[in-house]
Amino acid sequence: MQDLNDMLFFCEVVDRGGFAAAGRVLGVPKSRLSRRVAELENQLGVRLLQRTTRKLSLTAVGEVYYRHCAAMRTEAQAAADAVARVQSEPRGRVRVTCPVTVAQVVLGPVLPRFMLAFSQVRIDMEITNRVVDLVEEGVDVALRVRPTLDDSGSLVIKRLGLSHTELVASPRLLARHPRVTRPQDLHALPTLTMSGVEGRTTWLLVGPDGAEYSFDHEPRLLADDMLTLKYALLEGIGFGFLPDYMCAEEMADGRLVSVLPGWSPPPGILHAVFPSRRGLTPAVRAFLDFLGESLGSGN
């Protein structure tokens, strides 16, 4: 089989009308081009060009061969252009994992804007509170909210902002119990939380001037879903904490109130993690950029 580069060289020599002009376009010395075309003719066993001191012209078989070489060059450029489009235009599937509450309240409302802007991208999103191994499970991007980023290992982190939490309860609950004025008074109230170990859990509360209080308790309700806890909080089953974006409206209209003003859990860091910056597809890169623009707060 002929060297495809020699076929390209031959095309350029014909199009430019000589070896010198073709060499300037290709960045290849005239002598090398002449040698390569001569080797091509030897391999084919035919003369493709008539050489004179004044000009080059195609032989009859050279004209036939040139048409095929030109078609090959056109197809090669089309193939390169197709790859370039795939590399520059976001398309294909992006696998995402996201906690339930973040999906429902944070990502869900803005995701349609991304889908409308990038019609060739498909999102495959797993909404779960479990910790997903991105590499093992082939996930492109995971959204997480955690108090620290130290446990992200080798994953690349894109920080999006802070999620502040409020220690809240229904006024009806607080009316049935002694007034809470200090962290130690919290033990008199029933609690609701998302997780625990053998029925118990510990909250770290941060107060004025950075004071800290470790609140160990046995929750009345354990539920791995913030919305379920919110319903219970509104009904006065106990007190607990909610992200500010989940209780701002209820606190504004008095359905929920702060249990111990000035004390709250440390803020969570809303962030995206992904396996590597190298080899990101345009679709994944576009999705990460969108998260930064839509969810990033600069905090």
Side-chain angles (χ1 to χ4, degrees), residues 113-164:
R113 284 201 283 114
F114 176 81
M115 306 295 292
L116 290 171
F118 300 97
S119 61
Q120 300 301 312
V121 177
R122 293 177 290 117
I123 299 292
D124 183 351
M125 185 162 63
E126 180 183 3
I127 301 174
T128 177
N129 289 328
R130 72 180 180 89
V131 178
V132 174
D133 186 320
L134 275 67
V135 176
E136 183 71 22
E137 301 184 38
V139 173
D140 297 307
V141 180
L143 268 69
R144 294 173 176 172
V145 180
R146 294 182 178 174
T148 177
L149 303 180
D150 296 339
D151 59 351
S152 295
S154 61
L155 295 172
V156 183
I157 300 167
K158 184 180 183 68
R159 181 169 170 151
L160 301 173
L162 295 179
S163 172
H164 296 277

Side-chain angles (χ1 to χ4, degrees), residues 128-288:
T128 177
N129 289 328
R130 72 180 180 89
V131 178
V132 174
D133 186 320
L134 275 67
V135 176
E136 183 71 22
E137 301 184 38
V139 173
D140 297 307
V141 180
L143 268 69
R144 294 173 176 172
V145 180
R146 294 182 178 174
T148 177
L149 303 180
D150 296 339
D151 59 351
S152 295
S154 61
L155 295 172
V156 183
I157 300 167
K158 184 180 183 68
R159 181 169 170 151
L160 301 173
L162 295 179
S163 172
H164 296 277
T165 54
E166 301 286 347
L167 204 60
V168 296
S170 164
R172 288 178 293 167
L173 174 76
L174 298 181
R176 299 196 303 263
H177 293 84
R179 183 163 175 254
V180 175
T181 59
R182 54 181 188 148
Q184 291 81 358
D185 298 335
L186 296 173
H187 291 278
L189 278 65
T191 57
L192 319 175
T193 190
M194 287 191 66
S195 60
V197 178
E198 295 184 350
R200 297 195 67 83
T201 191
T202 300
W203 293 341
L204 175 64
L205 303 178
V206 180
D209 300 321
E212 295 184 351
Y213 181 76
S214 182
F215 177 52
D216 180 73
H217 56 106
E218 183 177 358
R220 184 178 179 196
L221 173 63
L222 281 167
D224 192 19
D225 175 62
M226 280 288 185
L227 192 56
T228 298
L229 294 178
K230 178 178 176 178
Y231 290 140
L233 287 165
L234 288 168
E235 292 300 322
I237 305 303
F239 81 95
F241 58 82
L242 288 174
D244 53 4
Y245 55 77
M246 282 194 71
C247 61
E249 181 179 336
E250 290 78 9
M251 293 190 73
D253 62 23
R255 284 179 291 164
L256 291 174
V257 297
S258 177
V259 174
L260 188 63
W263 290 85
S264 65
I269 303 171
L270 175 62
H271 60 288
V273 293
F274 50 100
S276 173
R277 292 188 187 279
R278 296 184 60 187
L280 285 180
T281 67
V284 173
R285 191 176 300 279
F287 184 68
L288 288 168

